[in-house]
Amino acid sequence: MFVDSHCHLNYPKLVERQAEVLANARAAGVSTMLNISTRAAEWDAVIGTAEREPDVWASVGIHPHDADTHEDIETAMLVEKSRHPKVIGIGETGLDFFYDKSDRDRQRASFRRHIAAARETGLPLIVHSREAEADTAAILGEEMGKGAFTGVLHCFTASTDLARKMLDLGLYISLSGIVTFKNAGDLRDTARMIPHDRLLVETDSPFLAPIPNRGKPCEPAFVADTARFLANELAMPTADLARITTDNFFNLFTKAKP
Ligand SMILES: [Zn+2]
Ligand SMILES: [Zn+2]
């Protein structure tokens, strides 16, 4: 049984065929999915899917791409929305200086408001970071000093150095289908240094379909392919990797614990 720790079931390419996507996931042995929100207008739909489906959970947050369009989102609004019993995480939030779709200072401010919500609720923070290693480490380190919170750096593609800094802060690291890509040798090296009790897997679907599904819209069923690949890299049976990453998911996202 696998957990997809990060998917977007309400995004185009998945939402139109959500029932089939969920059936495929269950058939592939995916027992739990975390449906991630990225914009306030999505929150009710993302939570609605989690209300209907017992194996789907939800997050509330604003993607760094949307920081400019959500300047009015305050910590209290995230906290309020996260009281829903199926909301188990805050995010995705963070910094994306690769696409720079929102002003960097607005991204930083939004990130800190999400961190405050994670601290206040005790729910894990789901962090997106692209081409923003120094700022990600600085903000997380500084905020951790103000009061502890938990979280995960999702779709990890950064350096081993950033991985170490995240682990030192007590955060988890989630690997997506990128780890299966031919040119991801550095990421595979990083994967080998992540302690087994801090590792998660995800699809980030509908993006980033892993080998052997590249070119298709990604869906949660494919987390099984990433897990199989990663188990081979880490020289362990797939069943062990599945058990470890499932245990880690519920140790982090305690609100989802059976
Ligand atoms: Zn992301
Ligand atoms: Zn995402």
Side-chain angles (χ1 to χ4, degrees):
M1 298 295 242
F2 305 99
V3 174
D4 185 354
S5 74
H6 190 115
C7 57
H8 299 280
L9 293 169
N10 291 77
Y11 267 23
K13 289 186 183 163
L14 295 184
V15 72
E16 307 87 340
R17 42 187 282 270
Q18 206 181 61
E20 178 198 340
V21 164
L22 291 170
N24 291 345
R26 289 163 189 152
V30 179
S31 61
T32 304
M33 290 159 263
L34 178 46
N35 192 19
I36 302 288
S37 69
T38 56
R39 290 181 291 267
E42 257 173 29
W43 288 352
D44 287 336
V46 166
I47 293 170
T49 299
E51 281 174 340
R52 280 192 306 277
E53 311 292 342
D55 47 1
V56 176
W57 299 87
S59 75
V60 287
I62 306 298
H63 195 284
H65 288 345
D66 291 283
D68 280 355
T69 56
H70 289 74
E71 268 200 285
D72 56 338
I73 294 292
E74 289 162 19
T75 298
M77 297 159 82
L78 296 163
V79 169
E80 172 63 29
K81 205 71 189 169
S82 72
R83 290 211 178 93
H84 188 284
K86 295 285 316 241
V87 174
I88 62 169
I90 303 292
E92 60 180 298
T93 178
L95 303 171
D96 195 313
F97 297 169
F98 178 74
Y99 286 108
D100 272 329
K101 286 193 184 174
S102 280
D103 173 77
R104 291 184 176 184
D105 276 336
R106 284 198 203 105
Q107 292 188 42
R108 292 182 183 102
S110 176
F111 190 19
R112 288 186 195 270
R113 287 195 287 268
H114 283 76
I115 293 170
R119 191 187 288 120
E120 191 173 329
T121 59
L123 297 177
L125 186 74
I126 299 146
V127 181
H128 170 111
S129 175
R130 189 138 183 227
E131 299 283 321
E133 289 203 14
D135 283 73
T136 301
I139 289 176
L140 287 169
E142 191 189 309
E143 291 288 339
M144 196 64 83
K146 295 184 198 166
F149 55 93
T150 64
V152 54
L153 194 53
H154 105 92
C155 194
F156 189 85
T157 55
S159 67
T160 301
D161 180 56
L162 186 68
R164 277 207 190 87
K165 285 179 179 150
M166 298 298 98
L167 293 165
D168 287 347
L169 290 173
L171 303 178
Y172 288 65
I173 292 178
S174 181
L175 297 175
S176 71
I178 290 178
V179 78
T180 71
F181 295 179
K182 275 194 184 65
N183 60 1
D186 289 349
L187 181 58
R188 285 189 281 277
D189 290 341
T190 303
R192 278 187 282 273
M193 61 71 68
I194 301 171
H196 290 172
D197 63 353
R198 298 284 197 85
L199 183 64
L200 299 174
V201 284
E202 67 173 79
T203 56
D204 205 10
S205 50
F207 313 109
L208 303 170
I211 289 172
N213 304 295
R214 288 204 71 178
K216 297 181 199 165
C218 189
E219 56 181 84
F222 300 167
V223 78
D225 298 304
T226 299
R228 264 189 285 276
F229 181 96
L230 193 57
N232 188 50
E233 282 298 312
L234 301 179
M236 67 167 80
T238 302
D240 287 2
L241 185 96
R243 183 180 42 76
I244 288 166
T245 51
T246 297
D247 286 351
N248 292 345
F249 180 84
F250 289 106
N251 285 336
L252 177 60
F253 292 98
T254 51
K255 195 172 162 184
K257 223 168 203 165

